[in-house]
């Protein structure tokens, strides 16, 4: 999490081998918060033994796509991300990005 206690400006979550969530508030964009959160997530993934991580990016989110690509992530193509809702599973087509993880200390 980034920001003052009780006033976060961003967060990232990992789930197994996935960078599951990355969020930066509008006012914190361009300040290096996303890059710092991404580095933290990658370190945690590597520390958990993940050798190749992945993330889903909304199709058309060119700003996020440029950021991920600049950070060494590679778009491998579209995929269906199954999201659980109160009404059942919703299938959302997204761009899948992958990146090899370096072991901690490398």
């Amino acid at each position: 999490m980034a920001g003052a206690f009780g006033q976060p400006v961003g967060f990232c979550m990992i789930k197994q081998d996935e960078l599951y969530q990355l969020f930066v508030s509008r006012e914190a964009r361009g300040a290096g918060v996303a890059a710092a959160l991404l580095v933290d997530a990658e370190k945690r993934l590597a520390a958990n033994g993940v050798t190749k991580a992945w993330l889903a990016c909304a199709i058309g989110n060119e700003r996020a796509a440029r950021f991920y690509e600049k950070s060494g992530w590679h778009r491998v193509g579209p995929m269906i991300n199954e999201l659980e809702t109160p009404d059942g599973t919703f299938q959302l087509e997204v761009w899948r990005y992958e990146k090899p993880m370096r072991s901690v200390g490398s």
Side-chain angles (χ1 to χ4, degrees), residues 7 12 23 37 72 81 85 103:
Q7 299 176 338
C12 66
F23 169 79
L37 290 169
N81 203 355
T85 74
S103 62

Side-chain angles (χ1 to χ4, degrees), residues 5-26:
F5 182 75
Q7 299 176 338
V9 295
F11 68 88
C12 66
M13 296 169 46
I14 61 172
K15 186 165 111 176
Q16 296 155 353
D17 61 346
E18 178 185 9
L19 182 106
Y20 182 64
Q21 296 284 327
L22 177 64
F23 169 79
V24 176
S25 66
R26 186 176 308 273

Side-chain angles (χ1 to χ4, degrees), residues 29-40:
R29 292 181 187 158
V33 173
L37 290 169
L38 186 59
V39 167
D40 175 68

Side-chain angles (χ1 to χ4, degrees), residues 41-53:
E42 290 174 1
K43 285 180 181 177
R44 290 186 288 134
L45 287 160
N48 288 345
V50 173
T51 57
K52 181 169 45 174

Side-chain angles (χ1 to χ4, degrees), residues 32-89:
V33 173
L37 290 169
L38 186 59
V39 167
D40 175 68
E42 290 174 1
K43 285 180 181 177
R44 290 186 288 134
L45 287 160
N48 288 345
V50 173
T51 57
K52 181 169 45 174
W54 70 279
L55 62 84
C57 179
I59 291 177
N61 188 344
E62 297 297 336
R63 179 185 175 110
R66 282 190 308 274
F67 169 72
Y68 293 131
E69 290 166 7
K70 182 178 144 186
S71 301
W73 291 76
H74 302 281
R75 188 184 312 178
V76 295
M79 64 171 268
I80 300 297
N81 203 355
E82 294 191 348
L83 308 171
E84 294 302 320
T85 74
D87 297 323
T89 302

